[in-house]
Amino acid sequence: MKHFDIAVIGGGAGGLAAAEKADRLGMDVVLLEREPFLGGILNQCIHHGFGLHHYKEELTGPEYAMRAIDDIERSGVTIKTDTTALDYKKLGGRFTIRYTNAEEGERTIEANAVILTSGSYERTAGGIRLPGERPKGVHTAGKAQRYLNIEGYMVGRKVFILGSGDIGLIMARRLTLEGAEVKGVAEIKPHPGGLTRNVVQCLHDFDIPLYLSHTVTDVRGDENLEGITIAEVDDAMQVKEATEKHFEVDTLLLSVGLIPDIATLGDVHYAIDPRTNGAIVDQTYQTTQDGLFAAGNALHIHDLVDFVTEESLRAALQAAAYVKGEVPPREKQVDVVTGETISYALPQRLNGDYLDKSVTFSLRSRHAYEKGTFLIKQRGETIERFKRRFINPAEMEHLVVEGGRIARGSGVEIILEGSS
Amino acid sequence: MKKELICIVCPVGCHLTVDEALNVSGNRCKRGIPYAKKEMTNPERQITSTVRIHSEVFNRLSVKTSAPIPKAKRFDIMRALDEIDLTPPVETGDVIIENVAGTDADIVASRRIEK
């Protein structure tokens, strides 16, 4: 059985960054990717707007992927594409991973640590209890994006989009440029889910109406989609009477959220945070399973790929330290709790014997504020404060607390005091 | 005639109003003024799309304009892309169409496809 220091699961932006970093730190690394190509979802995100933080220039998704792929191909990482991990086991403090691909058949490898960078999947029609029939022509927006940008198929000609997240907005523009008529975008919340820039350049630029506080109340069609109905919702998200609008469409795209894709790890168990649907981790990105690390969208949903890359680099640094025996065992645990204006924060707990190293918190506000201050508290005392402008639930915040600031003895509380 | 638009220079998203004489109001900082004037006189956009390629893995090659192009030329560029039919290899940055639709910008590959 071939042995590696670290196995990285998933070769998108997160996995590419983590594997290359671990290799540079002297680790023997294997990267498993289920698609025949590396780069993950970046391959279908052909629009620009990536890389401003990490590469300090504006790139398209494929260009961002190419940079990371060039780096990994120059490294010593063993890359296995078109390869599916079948199951995971942990024996004697080491992981065994059984995988399959066309070239090797079925094989098992061993690794001291595993980094999960397996990305996310899209919430579906069933996941939001979409009313009405289920004819052909109802797709998730990311799947339609893959059909169009990689496989070369138009999903339809008369389109409606439910959900104003960035993927939905980007697809509204993309389908319009390709000759489809996008009749509208409905958003159940009173404000758009995606960036203002995308509302302007994807919808306003093409006179596509955005129906805020609206949702789909009916889907019609026997075999193929024939039409949908939308209606206005009130503050309690209940449908208001006599506000229906009907649209004749052959395609309904759903852009209604992403969920970390960490479904099957066989016998290897770890705790999940119901707020993120991803793993609970400590400041080393280690899950509750010793030696199992998670980063990128497999851990929590990111709005910028740059942040996926940077989080994965931090996770790889810690995974390498773990393999080298530099991370102390987790005997003393410090819990992290958040105030009610914060929807979630990572890490959810801290290794109390590793607090001489800095801690990066990633978190999201529950509400939009023009200004706000994040307070890190212990025993009711503020130990660090971070001022921010234009806080928005759609934009992840990062707070870096230097080593030695957090004490071992008691829990950490993160509070956001916002003002409009 | 007055026109309303949302400034996208920064995350604030000011609601701007521009009149015929290009007077801008509603901006909370001075960066909104050149943005609004440019949008009213010569709005430009970057176009990203795909072209046909006969590859073992991909049916489409992603491409982009090498510079922002006049917004009014968007659909002319899309029509020009429909004519393209490529065979690998293609390298990131390869010029696929020079001076596309008379815009002085080129269409370039935004990825590598080896085979």
Side-chain angles (χ1 to χ4, degrees), chain A residues 339-384:
Chain A
E340 59 185 22
T341 52
I342 294 170
S343 56
Y344 75 85
L346 293 178
Q348 294 92 339
R349 50 184 69 161
L350 304 171
N351 179 341
D353 294 317
Y354 202 53
L355 293 169
D356 53 324
K357 300 281 196 298
S358 73
V359 177
T360 301
F361 290 101
S362 306
L363 65 172
R364 284 181 195 276
S365 170
R366 210 178 278 286
H367 313 285
Y369 299 106
E370 193 143 310
K371 284 185 212 162
T373 306
F374 290 93
L375 304 174
I376 312 275
K377 293 185 163 190
Q378 253 187 324
R379 295 184 199 277
E381 304 259 317
T382 298
I383 57 171
E384 204 79 80

Side-chain angles (χ1 to χ4, degrees), chain A residues 3-64:
Chain A
H3 177 84
F4 293 92
D5 294 320
I6 297 179
V8 178
I9 310 301
L16 290 169
E20 200 264 340
K21 174 78 175 177
D23 175 75
R24 259 191 290 140
L25 293 166
M27 297 284 107
D28 194 6
V29 182
V30 63
L31 172 64
L32 306 185
E33 166 56 48
R34 112 187 119 185
E35 295 282 357
F37 44 84
L38 295 170
I41 211 77
L42 285 168
N43 287 292
Q44 67 187 60
C45 297
I46 62 162
H47 52 283
H48 59 106
F50 303 93
L52 285 166
H53 284 263
H54 188 66
Y55 290 114
K56 310 294 177 213
E57 63 180 289
E58 190 166 15
L59 303 169
T60 65
E63 288 171 314
Y64 191 105

Side-chain angles (χ1 to χ4, degrees), chain B residues 36-65:
Chain B
K37 286 186 175 172
K38 176 88 179 154
E39 277 298 291
M40 294 300 285
T41 53
N42 178 28
E44 289 185 328
R45 296 290 184 268
Q46 192 101 35
I47 295 290
T48 59
S49 187
T50 65
V51 295
R52 175 181 298 206
I53 190 162
H54 299 272
S55 145
E56 289 172 17
V57 184
F58 301 95
N59 291 332
R60 309 294 294 185
L61 168 74
S62 59
V63 297
K64 66 172 194 175
T65 49

